[in-house]
Amino acid sequence: MVTPIHARIRGHEHDLGDGFIIHRVLPSQQRQAVGPFVFMDYFGPITLPPTKPMDVRPHPHIGLATVTYLWEGRIEHRDCLGNTQIIEPGAVNWMTAGRGIVHSERTAAADRGREQRLHGLQLWVALPLENERDEPTFEHAQAESLPQISIDGSRIRVIAGNAYGARSPVSTHGALFYVDVQMSKDARLRVPDDHIQRAALLIAGEVSVGDEALQPGQLYVFTPGAAVELRAHADSHVVLLGGAPLDAPRYMWWNYVSSSEKVLAQAQEDWAQKRFAMVEGDAQFIALPQDRNVSVIIRPN
């Protein structure tokens, strides 16, 4: 009999600055990627005091798409393409960096000076080789535009890609899926088996796979080809994601992902020499880290 759970990734706590603590799940020593997803930060629920708004200053990305999805709070995105967008619960910000983009993520002006709750996920998707150097783009999908499906006590929202016979309107590259699921007590849900690599992150509640109870905040990577069923023993909240394996190894350094060390090194130098287009009206930026030689090699699993 095939064991449904292939790996368990606990992740670790990471301080983004000013005490903004997130739970970094990917990459990890056990697993660097699930499908094209090479980075996962889970944050919250966290309460930001009035004196400490979220201020992630302008910084660059290459070779990836960032995906921001919230359950609580609001974040203002601004980028060098001239986009300003406040993301709210249930909506999706999908930013394709391609050859290079700069953006900031901050507490919106209207929310400053007051307490704010934040709860959500930010993921990075490695772009296929043929799209790594595409022109950068930004896309926002309102919550009401995302498909919502009900299956035997589970309410499913398709954030990106295709799952359960529905497709998100968000423009993506390659085969992937990313869904947000609310399960009622005693509900059972089959994890999509039309994607090679699949994983689940329990946000809240009590869910098991076979005889194993899933732990909140831990990523469970499922065995390719195995039939996987989630069982809810209380009202629960879980995220499912995955897709096709990476089409080639990737190098990840700081905010960069690339199949080429040469391209990565050039992007390091370009940020150091301020050659990237910047966010208009924002003179702040995050400086290039001093150590340019320590990168993570992400190999297809």
Side-chain angles (χ1 to χ4, degrees), residues 74-206:
R74 307 192 327 155
I75 297 174
E76 183 179 85
H77 160 99
R78 295 185 66 208
D79 63 45
C80 63
L81 303 179
N83 298 296
T84 298
Q85 178 66 58
I86 294 178
I87 182 171
E88 297 181 316
V92 180
N93 270 12
W94 187 284
M95 185 183 74
T96 302
R99 63 191 308 151
I101 197 169
V102 175
H103 77 137
S104 64
E105 298 159 295
R106 300 183 185 269
T107 297
D111 298 327
R112 289 177 179 263
R114 63 182 180 85
E115 188 175 274
Q116 183 183 195
R117 291 263 295 176
L118 277 180
H119 187 200
L121 277 168
Q122 185 172 94
L123 308 177
W124 294 356
V125 177
L127 297 176
L129 289 173
E130 63 184 5
N131 302 113
E132 278 191 307
R133 303 294 289 164
D134 283 358
E135 291 297 319
T137 61
F138 174 79
E139 183 176 352
H140 178 80
Q142 299 285 3
E144 56 269 22
S145 72
L146 302 179
Q148 297 187 60
I149 308 154
S150 293
I151 301 176
D152 299 330
S154 293
R155 300 183 307 282
I156 303 162
R157 176 174 294 205
V158 182
I159 301 170
N162 64 286
Y164 299 106
R167 176 175 288 278
S168 167
V170 176
S171 302
T172 59
H173 297 288
L176 62 86
F177 78 105
Y178 178 17
V179 299
D180 186 22
V181 183
Q182 300 284 344
M183 301 181 71
S184 300
K185 182 181 178 181
D186 297 326
R188 297 188 178 202
L189 181 68
R190 176 87 172 239
V191 175
D193 51 16
D194 50 353
H195 294 274
I196 298 172
Q197 297 185 353
R198 304 159 296 162
L201 179 74
L202 180 63
I203 305 300
E206 299 174 19

Side-chain angles (χ1 to χ4, degrees), residues 13-23 41-44 46-48 52-56 70 75 107 116-120:
E13 303 305 302
H14 184 75
D15 190 343
L16 294 183
D18 295 327
F20 187 79
I21 306 296
I22 55 87
H23 185 69
D41 272 359
Y42 171 58
F43 51 92
I46 185 173
T47 300
L48 300 179
K52 286 191 175 181
M54 177 181 177
D55 274 312
V56 180
L70 300 177
I75 297 174
T107 297
Q116 183 183 195
R117 291 263 295 176
L118 277 180
H119 187 200

Side-chain angles (χ1 to χ4, degrees), residues 265-295:
Q266 184 61 59
Q268 292 174 337
E269 189 63 20
D270 288 343
W271 185 246
Q273 298 301 324
K274 300 182 180 179
R275 297 186 189 123
F276 277 82
M278 299 300 289
V279 178
E280 186 176 356
D282 194 336
Q284 295 185 321
F285 62 92
I286 298 177
L288 191 79
Q290 292 297 311
D291 192 343
R292 303 191 190 186
N293 298 317
V294 180
S295 61

